Amino acid sequence: MNSTGSVLQTLVDRVRLLTDETGSDRYEDKDLLEEFILPAWVCFWTDISMLDEDPILLASTVSIIAGTDRYILPPIIGDIWALAMNSATTNARTHDWQKRNEWHSAGAGWRIEGNELVFQPKPTTTEDWLLIYRPSGDCLPHVGSGTVVSSTVITLAATPTLGSFDARDNAYVGLFLRTLEAGRVIQERVISAFDAATRQATVRVAFTQSASHLPADGASVSYEVAFRVYQPQIQCLAAAAAMDMGAPGGFSMAKMQKLDHTYGKNLKACRDHFGNLLVRHAKRFERLTYSNPYRNGVDAPVILGTQ
């Protein structure tokens, strides 16, 4: 990791190392991040989600207003898998808003049109629904110096030190806000809302504020908006970015094959890790062992001594 603790700076450093660009001024850090690493980030989520039977899913909240049928979706949402409602007291699942056929007599239920979530028919009550989605990776992560508003709100930098500010509302929903203040504990929180006009990012779980953690309200704080730290993910993105850099630059076939192998094995590690973390099947295959009750077929019991 980079000495600052920044994932984005670590990625830039790793790409330079893999492409022998260490000490070179051919590309600025911002160029490496936005021209090579961010496209690799989007493709990474396509590879890790779309190629699996059970893709990695995240969740957000959509506040539905009675009589309003169109809602702007955060850019990070790739596609919606479910709309559900949980009990406010027990958090148990109580409702599921079904997606129906476009020509259903009762309406489609809901659909995505561009960046809009459209309900048909219009909602009749005002309430919050849980939106379960596959992430798209469409965002502009960055490193900067912001201002602490409270334990749950930080005002982001208008001009980041690395990367660019994403001026779209809720562009950073679902990403991690990571504090990088020197000499203090690094904290990571999931962003639940982002107001582009005020540049304020709100997190789901409050930061710890103390002399060794987040500074007091009104103080400045170094931070980054990025994804969760996982070493194989960093290596995966760095290898993908390096291949894109090396393709027009004349990398040897052996080096391209090495980078491709690095990407593949780290992609598998990420798929396994995130799948296990979210209790989803990131990979599946039948194991013909006596401990597998379905090894003779669906619902077929295992009779010991017959095989």
Side-chain angles (χ1 to χ4, degrees):
M1 288 289 291
N2 183 270
S3 59
T4 63
S6 167
V7 171
L8 298 179
Q9 189 62 60
T10 300
L11 264 171
V12 170
D13 296 344
R14 194 77 56 89
V15 171
R16 288 193 184 278
L17 184 64
L18 292 176
T19 57
D20 299 323
E21 286 282 339
T22 304
S24 170
D25 58 358
R26 183 166 63 148
Y27 295 105
E28 294 183 358
D29 288 354
K30 182 176 183 292
D31 295 331
L32 286 178
L33 177 63
E34 296 184 352
E35 302 302 327
F36 297 103
I37 295 173
L38 292 190
W41 162 242
V42 175
C43 292
F44 168 82
W45 276 112
T46 299
D47 285 347
I48 204 171
S49 297
M50 296 298 288
L51 299 182
D52 282 322
E53 184 176 348
D54 294 312
I56 306 304
L57 301 177
L58 303 179
S60 184
T61 300
V62 55
S63 297
I64 296 175
I65 301 172
T68 302
D69 59 345
R70 293 180 180 269
Y71 301 83
I72 301 298
L73 291 172
I76 197 67
I77 294 179
D79 56 59
I80 298 174
W81 275 59
L83 275 171
M85 181 183 292
N86 294 343
S87 168
T89 55
T90 65
N91 204 34
R93 186 63 46 83
T94 58
H95 296 80
D96 182 18
W97 200 317
Q98 292 290 330
K99 175 74 173 70
R100 296 186 291 264
N101 184 282
E102 284 293 325
W103 313 115
H104 195 283
S105 59
W110 55 266
R111 72 169 72 87
I112 297 179
E113 295 181 6
N115 66 341
E116 295 178 345
L117 174 62
V118 183
F119 290 96
Q120 186 186 32
K122 293 181 179 181
T124 57
T125 56
T126 297
E127 51 200 4
D128 290 339
W129 281 73
L130 184 68
L131 190 152
I132 302 173
Y133 65 93
R134 179 187 62 83
S136 66
D138 178 17
C139 62
L140 293 176
H142 67 265
V143 180
S145 179
T147 303
V148 178
V149 177
S150 69
S151 61
T152 59
V153 179
I154 291 179
T155 301
L156 305 186
T159 306
T161 55
L162 174 62
S164 297
F165 175 78
D166 199 325
R168 297 174 293 179
D169 275 334
N170 287 325
Y172 294 130
V173 167
L175 270 69
F176 274 73
L177 179 57
R178 180 179 297 108
T179 60
L180 302 174
E181 198 67 16
R184 293 175 181 261
V185 175
I186 294 177
Q187 298 185 78
E188 300 175 325
R189 298 292 187 270
V190 177
I191 297 174
S192 59
F194 172 64
D195 188 327
T198 62
R199 306 196 310 276
Q200 291 186 348
T202 303
V203 296
R204 291 179 184 170
V205 179
F207 287 105
T208 299
Q209 282 185 292
S210 70
S212 59
H213 291 72
L214 185 71
D217 295 355
S220 64
V221 60
S222 297
Y223 72 90
E224 75 174 344
V225 176
F227 44 84
R228 187 173 185 178
V229 176
Y230 184 53
Q231 285 296 333
Q233 185 178 1
I234 293 175
Q235 191 73 354
C236 193
L237 295 176
M243 283 190 285
D244 286 344
M245 289 179 63
F251 276 6
S252 67
M253 181 63 71
K255 185 162 188 173
M256 292 295 284
Q257 289 177 339
K258 171 60 177 175
L259 290 172
D260 184 62
H261 176 69
T262 299
Y263 179 81
K265 71 178 182 180
N266 283 280
L267 180 68
K268 179 184 181 299
C270 291
R271 185 176 289 135
D272 293 347
H273 172 73
F274 292 130
N276 293 334
L277 191 67
L278 299 176
V279 199
R280 300 186 63 81
H281 299 286
K283 65 180 189 301
R284 64 173 52 170
F285 55 89
E286 290 189 4
R287 299 176 180 175
L288 299 180
T289 63
Y290 284 112
S291 61
N292 180 4
Y294 305 114
R295 71 185 185 91
N296 294 321
V298 177
D299 295 329
V302 174
I303 302 177
L304 299 180
T306 62
Q307 296 295 317

